[in-house]
Amino acid sequence: MEGKEKEQRKHQQKHSGPKAERKKLKKQGPTTEEDARKRNPKAFAVQSAVRMAKTFHRSQDIKTKKHHIPMVDRTPLEPPPVVIVVMGPPKVGKSTLIRCLIKNFTRQKLGDIVGPVTIVSGKKRRLTFMECNNDINTMIDLAKVADLVLMLIDASFGFEMETFEFLNICQVHGFPRIMGVLTHLDSFKNNKVLRKTKKNLKHRFWTEVYQGAKLFYLSGMVYGEYQTQEVKNLGRFISVMKFRPLVWQTSHPYVLADRMEDLTDPETVRKDPKCDRTVSLYGYLRGTYLKNKGQVHIPGVGDFQVADVNFLPDPCALPAAQKKRALNEKERLLYAPMAGVGGVVYDKDAVYIDLPASHVHQQQEEVRPTTELVQSLIDTHSTLDAKMAASKVSLFSGSANLVPSDFGEGSGEKGGPQEESVWDPNTQRERRKVVFAEEDKDKEEEEDGDDDDDDDDDDDEEEESGSSDDEEGDNEDSDQEEEDEKEDKDKDNLSKFLKVARAKSDVTLEPSAPPVKKQKVENKNKEQQEQSGELPAFADSEDELEVSEEEKESGEEAGRAGDSGHCSEEDEEDGEEESEDESMEEDAADATMKSGSEEEEEEEEELGALKWKDGLQQKASEAFLRQQAAIPNLRKLVYGSVVAADDSEEEEEELGGLFRVSRPQKSKRFRADAVDCSRFTPDSAHNWDLEEMLNSIRDCFVTGKWEEGQDAATLLKEDEELYGDFEDLETGQIHKTKPGDQAEDNENDEDDDDEKEESLVKVDEDVTLKTKRLEKKQRLKERFDTEYDDGDATYFDDLKEELQKQAELNRAEFQDVDDETRVQYEGFRPGMYVRIEIPSLPCEFVTNFDPHYPIILGGLASAEGNVGYLQMRLKKHRWYNRILKTRDPLILSLGWRRFQTIPLYHIEDHNGRHRLLKYTPQHMHCGASIWGPVTPQGTGFLALQTVAGIKANFRIAATGVVLDLDKSVTVVKKLKLIGYPYKIFKNTSFIKGMFNTVLEVAKFEGASIRTVSGVRGQIKKALSTPAGAYRATFEDRLLMSDVVFLRSWFPVTVPQLYNPVTSLLLPVSQKDGWAGMRTLGQLKHDLGIRNKPNTDSLYKPVVRAPRHFNRLHIPKELQKALPFKSKLKQQQPKGKTPRDLQRPTVIREPHEKKVAALLNALSQVHHHKRKKAHTAQHAKHKEFLQEKGKQEEAKLKRQKEARKKLYKTMGQTDQKNQRSSLKGGPKDD
Amino acid sequence: MASHGLDYDGCNFFRQRLVLSTLSGKRVRIKNIRSKDDNPGLRDFEASFIRLLDKVTNGSRIEINQTGTVLFYQPGLLYGGSVEHECNTQRSIGYYLEALLMLAPFMKTSLKATLKGVTNDHIDPTVDVLKSTALPLMKQFGIDGEGFDLKVVKRGMAPGGGGEVVFICPTRRTMRPVQLTDPGKIKRIRGVAYSVRVSPQMANRLVDTARGVLNKFIPDIYIYTDHMKGANSGKSPGYGLTLVAETMNGSFLSAEMSSTPQGQGDPMLPEDLGKNCAQMLLEEVYRGGCVDSSNQSLALLLMTLGQQDVSKVLLGPLSPHTIEFLRHIRDFFQIMFKIHVQKPSEDERKGGDKVLMTCVGVGYSNINKTLK
């Protein structure tokens, strides 16, 4: 049957006939609507003005609803990686999905996903994946930083509470993009059930997110991975997705740290393992500009002051050239320091990397992606160490020579690979390579050895051996090229002498192998080192020392030179400014010192040169000149030469710990107590009686000379050009513009009007004319545009345009400033890879560090570090099954923070009073006042009762928004004071018991009072005795039994509890077990305390005594009067039967007795007979009935058979008839 | 928990520090206030200023040591509302008003401040100048609306005082970024010649001489004479002149002078005063820029507190007060301005060097304002 499926008839399109014609008409196009209008004008006429107005209104409403408030587009040119949070209940396939996506984008397999993983997914996009576990703390933190959430749902199970909780968290903290992903779809055997489940889940998801939200289906696993095509599609979706800016995220800088280093001195840690740690955290900066020395909040840890922020080269940079279509292998970078990829072991204070030995020979240019990753890691690490080294140098400036070497040794000991060279497409490749320590080589060798085991690496080795020669050649070339590039790009503004030195080094290097290569070889074995003896042994630590020493000198010299130069500059300044300059000088000197040390640092990295020693003087002076050029004078005057003012001060203070450098600060003293006035006294040098002085400001007035473009003459001319030509319609006269202009216009057409040609200024000025004409055209066009668009332009359009302009300006303003200075002006911009150093973190942060939990550094705005009272609007979540009680501690997630606090719930009365509530209303908003961190109004928050474990079935207790910040609270609760009258004179009463002293009464004089019965009155005056009694008048006379009460409002204070949830400090496996202050109920429950209840309120067993009723007694008189019916009857005693009613007993004769006995016997016999006959009869009848039944049955059977036969024959005849008719039919036709 | 504070030495730039501290929420400790002076500690006018600050804020903590040489200030929230303050007569109302101008847009409720004291003296910018220059400047930043006004109810000259000023300012949540790079040409000059408790003729004499100087440049000059009598004339005699030049692009440059206070120094002829004042206006024009030299810091502050957008303003040479203010802004808000000196070209006759100040706002939003 199944095999023989009938072929369906195909649809045949009509090619003729009315239907086809109609279709043709439809196809022909848009004229139909117009036709309809023409054909049936009545149908399109205005039927009802009201309805028309309504429809118009509605359409306009819909249009306006689509508008969002335009915002200035502040996305940086190179945006930070998109944060993709992958969340879902356990065992739903989160890690698998991340792994698959990473494999899809980078062709690399990642073992276990720990911490954020950053990859380059496209030419302009990078992604950071972060897995979200099911701890509610993590969910909250990640919802705040997510750009996109991949919400994994186990389709075989359905939605789980985590999903909804996460959705609710997202709603509160700004809704990031959310994409659902259904997994475990292969567990459905039945196709129909699968489809139905998909549909159900989709619709539920839509109601939660928005109608039409994207839900992805991952249909099944192939060898433990999702299907490639599906993952690819998902990846495509992700890489084209657009993100809406979220208010909190765009107004705060934040970093999702992907690397953590403990910088604490090991010695202090050894002495006191619990000492506060200095930690540096790394990550991409997102959100907005981060200012140095700002405050950050680390959710789960607390608020911290940032000690230092630096930006580092991007470890996962976007490809430089944008022209290519797709990324090549090299550009598919992956960066996940916490994940321990490719032999990277994450330790608490260092990253150890195993690189196989074969890598020693490998070319840096042709590393495989994995090694790239590793190297990018190393790269950043080396910068850190360089920084550390620098800091040490600055500390012990006297013994600067020692430190770098120490450092070198130290680095060799612990963070071996830190110094390793790094493949970096950017400028600083060479430098890094040179800072190699020998340890690294060993490590690398090891790693290479390991790699040898791998199959892939053999190829690499071959490649490498083959191409090593080429590389040398390449490197030479590329070196120079890079040098050139550096000159443009170099962020640190390398001094000229450095460049010279580098050039020289290049010269020396050129004949030999490239430095990198050399280095490695050198370090690997001694022979090769000797081989490269021609090279300056710059990797040698001693040489390094020399270098640094010399650098130091040069730096100092430069500083001194700067000073002198500054002094000379100073002469030009005013006397007032001079004094300031003097104070600034020191700063300048320090700053130059610092810059010197920075240069030294660079040099350490560079280390390409030895011969730069000669001509130091000249170089120093060059450096000075460069600095002079770089920093404008006014800026120096205002801010000092570099931002290191603070540091210099510190140095002054702390020199040697004991001693202080006292420096004369006359100028500062003088300034300290001067008159505070904003008026700017005029310059006495200007004598305004002189004509030349007057002339010097002539053009500031409208009467002066105007600029070319704005001159009245040119403007007039323009107007004429525009409006000069016109035709008088009445007279038919045509007015023309001046011939000169006409000619200009016509020149285009190359008219040969000679007369007009003559009037042209000159033929030579053709070019200028052309440009002028172009300009004019542009102007005309602009004017036309503005006029034309004016009609349509709405406020919205204007606003958008304005913001667009602002955005362009924002981008353009600091574009050409180098990063180092730019950072000072606008702060660190989002997209930069930054290193943030935070001192005094609790040691638990380091000891209990678990990279599975996100570390977020949320920047705080200026006032957000303070604590105060917050008034918020709050609503209990409709899925939370209990109401919340005032003064029960509650955990809020507000801004970046999670903290426990004690809220007071209140509601606003009609007169604006905030009345305290004992419990939150069930389905209504109420106010809540808390003591907590100052957060801008309009920020959403969510409340939890506990963050430990999963006890409640839905954990989010309430949501709300901050309304107001204040330093005082206005919540009041009702207080009724009760008093009793003790003397009453008409409407006046004396009342006691309400107050205790006269003073209290005095405070309430004039207050309105009331009695329970509703008589209103007023407090008049206190009485001397008894204390606290007063005279009051009422609208009516009171009774002594009346109770008088005064309704008053008592201000309530909000308890000042602010307890940050320090979940990140908990031991590794207990991070989801944070327990803060318990509620009173919990405490009592835990301690087994029970309130002693009021005995009256207790339930007692109900004892019911049997009810005893007295006899009903009816008076005799009444009884007599009653009718007979109602008279009591039973109560009449039963008397003896009277004699007349008594009957005599009958005594039979013996004969009579016999007769009676006989009769009795006879009747007995008769009775028996009758009974017997009856039973016989009954049996007989039964038999008869049986017989009859049988007969009936037989009869029915017979009938049935007969009928059957009949129908059969009937049917046969019918069939016969039919057949005959069928046969007969065609014959007849 | 509370954000760390800042330490300063000496009483100079006292207002800047307190104002910036209030706006940024950072506490501040000022030490060695006139510690070497014969009369150490805070002066009366400074105390009065602190009291005013206390009135407009809620929950601020102010601690002063016994000698008054150390001040600790932990700012509260700016509350606003109706405030009445008796300003100390050692300094004029301008001293207090300058700070209020900076704070007023960031209050919880709109501010209505009634300040009593000296309206005009020769140290601080007078209320007339602030009214005619600072208010239009603030309007550029989007602070505008119902009743944004500064009214001189009574005029009180220097030593005695007795003047009264009402300042009403609406609140704003955010500041608008500005691009004030072209001041435009001066189209008119206006002014007020005021006199109290002296002959009304004084004002006319001021006007005549001032016009004499300015007429060389522009004919559109109108100087109002303002002679207050009776209860409105304060306690001391005096007179003075305020001149304001308005440009095509709506920026205002001002100059002012007032007579030496009664019993202090040599009296000045109104003719001299008028001429000097006019020449001061010329000096101000020579300095140029889009903002008056006494309002530079106000403009810079409002730029700093703007959205995270680029703001630009062209100023004349920076006054010492402004330079210090820039440093303070860096301390409190970590904002540095890009300072670019614009030298006038050869053939231009537009006065001296200008300074183009550029900055990115901190993204400040008024955290005091209630959300409804």
Side-chain angles (χ1 to χ4, degrees), chain A residues 247-248 252 864 870-872 894 933-940 961-966, chain B residues 77-78 106-108 172-173 365-372:
Chain A
V247 176
W248 182 263
H252 292 82
E864 283 173 25
L870 272 75
Q871 271 187 15
M872 6 177 77
L894 171 65
V934 164
T935 316
Q937 305 92 330
T939 313
V961 68
V962 179
L963 292 184
D964 196 8
L965 312 166
D966 214 334
Chain B
L77 289 170
L78 285 165
F106 305 103
M107 304 256 176
K108 191 183 280 294
R172 284 287 170 275
R173 224 172 126 64
S365 78
N366 183 358
I367 56 159
N368 305 310
K369 203 167 188 234
T370 309
L371 188 76
K372 281 291 171 191

Side-chain angles (χ1 to χ4, degrees), chain A residues 288 637-639 671-672 676 678-679 689 699-700 703 806 809-810 813 865 937 963-966, chain B residues 1 11-12 58 91 98 108 122 179 185-186 217 256 279 308-310 312 327 337 367 369 371:
Chain A
T288 179
L637 173 70
V638 174
Y639 293 120
R671 278 193 295 137
D676 177 14
S678 67
R679 221 187 230 181
D689 293 329
D699 290 347
C700 292
T703 48
Q806 183 68 50
L809 182 71
N810 290 352
E813 185 56 35
Q937 305 92 330
L963 292 184
D964 196 8
L965 312 166
D966 214 334
Chain B
M1 177 61 208
C11 71
N12 202 7
N58 179 22
R91 298 297 286 266
E98 274 184 314
K108 191 183 280 294
H122 58 290
Q179 265 73 46
K185 290 187 186 301
I186 292 164
F217 292 101
E256 59 169 343
Q279 287 184 343
Q308 289 190 320
D309 290 321
V310 170
K312 286 180 175 184
R327 290 177 195 151
F337 279 76
I367 56 159
K369 203 167 188 234
L371 188 76

Side-chain angles (χ1 to χ4, degrees), chain A residues 72 74 250-251 288-289 291-295 303 305 576-577 580 584 632 634-635 637-640 642-643 645-646 669-683 686-689 691 693-707 710 802 806-807 809-811 813-814 816-817 824-826 862-867 869 873 897 908 933-938 961-968 1058, chain B residues 1-4 9-15 23-25 32-36 58-59 75-77 79 91 95 98 108 121-126 173 177 179 182 184-187 189 216-219 248 256 275 279-280 282-283 285-287 293-294 307-310 312 317-321 323-324 326-327 330 333-339 341 347-351 355 358 360-362 364-372:
Chain A
V72 181
R74 298 198 180 94
T250 48
S251 58
T288 179
Y289 301 111
K291 300 281 185 307
N292 206 345
K293 311 248 190 279
Q295 254 196 324
D303 280 16
Q305 200 73 37
E576 207 279 331
E577 287 164 352
E580 278 175 354
M584 283 297 138
L634 199 53
R635 193 190 150 199
L637 173 70
V638 174
Y639 293 120
V642 183
V643 224
D646 301 14
R669 272 281 146 264
F670 161 71
R671 278 193 295 137
D673 289 338
V675 178
D676 177 14
C677 174
S678 67
R679 221 187 230 181
F680 191 8
T681 45
D683 190 357
H686 295 157
N687 184 359
W688 289 100
D689 293 329
E691 192 61 29
M693 270 328 274
L694 296 181
N695 276 336
S696 70
I697 57 166
R698 280 266 173 230
D699 290 347
C700 292
F701 295 87
V702 281
T703 48
K705 208 176 83 187
W706 288 71
E707 281 86 9
Q710 297 171 333
E802 202 175 292
Q806 183 68 50
L809 182 71
N810 290 352
R811 292 233 175 81
E813 185 56 35
F814 293 108
D816 40 358
V817 185
Q824 289 171 12
Y825 288 135
E826 37 170 41
S862 57
E864 283 173 25
N866 295 335
V867 217
Y869 291 109
R873 191 191 296 136
R897 298 182 170 95
E908 192 171 319
V934 164
T935 316
Q937 305 92 330
V961 68
V962 179
L963 292 184
D964 196 8
L965 312 166
D966 214 334
K967 292 275 178 183
S968 53
Y1058 166 70
Chain B
M1 177 61 208
S3 53
H4 72 141
D9 259 10
C11 71
N12 202 7
F13 311 110
F14 182 76
R15 287 178 298 164
L23 289 172
S24 68
N32 299 330
I33 300 173
R34 298 196 184 88
S35 52
K36 302 268 166 63
N58 179 22
L77 289 170
Y79 214 82
R91 298 297 286 266
Y95 177 83
E98 274 184 314
K108 191 183 280 294
D121 73 353
H122 58 290
I123 308 170
D124 290 301
T126 63
R173 224 172 126 64
Q179 265 73 46
D182 182 20
K185 290 187 186 301
I186 292 164
K187 61 177 179 185
I189 293 174
K216 291 172 198 158
F217 292 101
I218 196 163
M248 304 282 285
E256 59 169 343
K275 191 184 165 208
Q279 287 184 343
M280 274 168 79
L282 296 184
E283 171 76 28
V285 171
Y286 180 83
R287 283 178 187 155
S293 65
S294 57
Q307 301 283 287
Q308 289 190 320
D309 290 321
V310 170
K312 286 180 175 184
L318 302 181
S319 69
H321 189 260
I323 289 174
E324 196 60 34
L326 285 171
R327 290 177 195 151
R330 191 185 54 176
F333 289 105
Q334 278 91 38
I335 284 278
M336 265 175 78
F337 279 76
K338 185 177 164 191
I339 304 168
V341 180
D347 53 340
E348 263 184 343
R349 295 178 295 173
K350 283 190 170 180
V355 185
T358 313
V360 181
V362 278
Y364 187 85
S365 78
N366 183 358
I367 56 159
N368 305 310
K369 203 167 188 234
T370 309
L371 188 76
K372 281 291 171 191

Side-chain angles (χ1 to χ4, degrees), chain B residues 7-143:
Chain B
D7 280 9
Y8 287 105
D9 259 10
C11 71
N12 202 7
F13 311 110
F14 182 76
R15 287 178 298 164
Q16 290 181 5
R17 287 162 186 170
L18 294 193
V19 163
L20 287 174
S21 160
T22 314
L23 289 172
S24 68
K26 284 183 175 150
R27 56 184 180 221
V28 71
R29 185 191 299 278
I30 303 176
K31 287 182 287 194
N32 299 330
I33 300 173
R34 298 196 184 88
S35 52
K36 302 268 166 63
D37 205 283
D38 292 340
N39 179 14
L42 289 169
R43 294 267 187 277
D44 287 347
F45 65 91
E46 280 157 347
S48 173
F49 177 72
I50 293 172
R51 239 168 274 134
L52 173 65
L53 216 53
D54 193 32
K55 275 180 192 168
V56 293
T57 57
N58 179 22
S60 36
R61 226 175 86 214
I62 300 160
E63 283 165 19
I64 303 171
N65 73 342
Q66 285 267 301
T67 51
T69 51
V70 178
L71 168 76
F72 172 77
Y73 176 66
Q74 182 169 21
L77 289 170
L78 285 165
Y79 214 82
S82 215
V83 172
E84 198 164 308
H85 187 65
E86 195 76 45
C87 301
N88 192 282
T89 50
Q90 286 174 352
R91 298 297 286 266
S92 78
I93 289 177
Y95 177 83
Y96 305 91
L97 200 58
E98 274 184 314
L100 272 193
L101 285 169
M102 290 175 174
L103 295 174
F106 305 103
M107 304 256 176
K108 191 183 280 294
T109 52
S110 61
L111 177 78
K112 181 178 187 267
T114 311
L115 303 176
K116 289 174 183 167
V118 179
T119 55
N120 305 68
D121 73 353
H122 58 290
I123 308 170
D124 290 301
T126 63
V127 288
D128 302 274
V129 159
L130 290 176
K131 180 187 171 139
S132 50
T133 57
L135 263 56
L137 176 67
M138 285 167 82
K139 279 181 186 167
Q140 305 253 31
F141 286 91
I143 305 158

Side-chain angles (χ1 to χ4, degrees), chain A residues 1062-1121:
Chain A
T1062 52
S1063 55
L1064 276 189
L1065 302 182
L1066 296 170
V1068 171
S1069 57
Q1070 303 160 21
K1071 287 207 196 279
D1072 57 349
W1074 189 86
M1077 183 182 179
R1078 285 175 285 183
T1079 63
L1080 192 66
Q1082 276 172 342
L1083 260 178
K1084 279 183 176 167
H1085 177 263
D1086 295 350
L1087 299 177
I1089 299 170
R1090 304 207 61 159
N1091 260 3
K1092 206 148 210 183
N1094 186 358
T1095 44
D1096 289 345
S1097 313
L1098 288 177
Y1099 287 99
K1100 291 166 211 106
V1102 182
V1103 183
R1104 292 191 204 281
R1107 203 102 189 251
H1108 175 75
F1109 296 100
N1110 284 334
R1111 285 175 58 105
L1112 182 67
H1113 174 72
I1114 300 166
K1116 266 189 182 161
E1117 288 300 309
L1118 184 62
Q1119 258 188 60
K1120 266 182 196 165

Side-chain angles (χ1 to χ4, degrees), chain A residues 46 95 104 160 174 236 244 431 441 522 563 604 651 665 672 680 682 698 732 948 965-966 973 991:
Chain A
V46 178
S95 313
N104 172 47
E160 285 169 64
R236 280 188 185 139
R244 65 189 93 174
R431 294 180 199 163
K441 304 296 128 36
E522 221 175 75
D563 282 1
E604 272 179 17
E651 270 173 43
Q665 293 184 313
F680 191 8
R698 280 266 173 230
L965 312 166
D966 214 334
K973 70 176 178 187
I991 294 168

Side-chain angles (χ1 to χ4, degrees), chain A residues 256-271:
Chain A
L256 176 60
D258 53 16
R259 206 173 140 208
M260 191 273 285
E261 304 290 343
D262 186 7
L263 302 181
T264 331
D265 185 14
E267 183 58 18
T268 49
V269 176
R270 193 189 61 80
K271 277 181 191 156

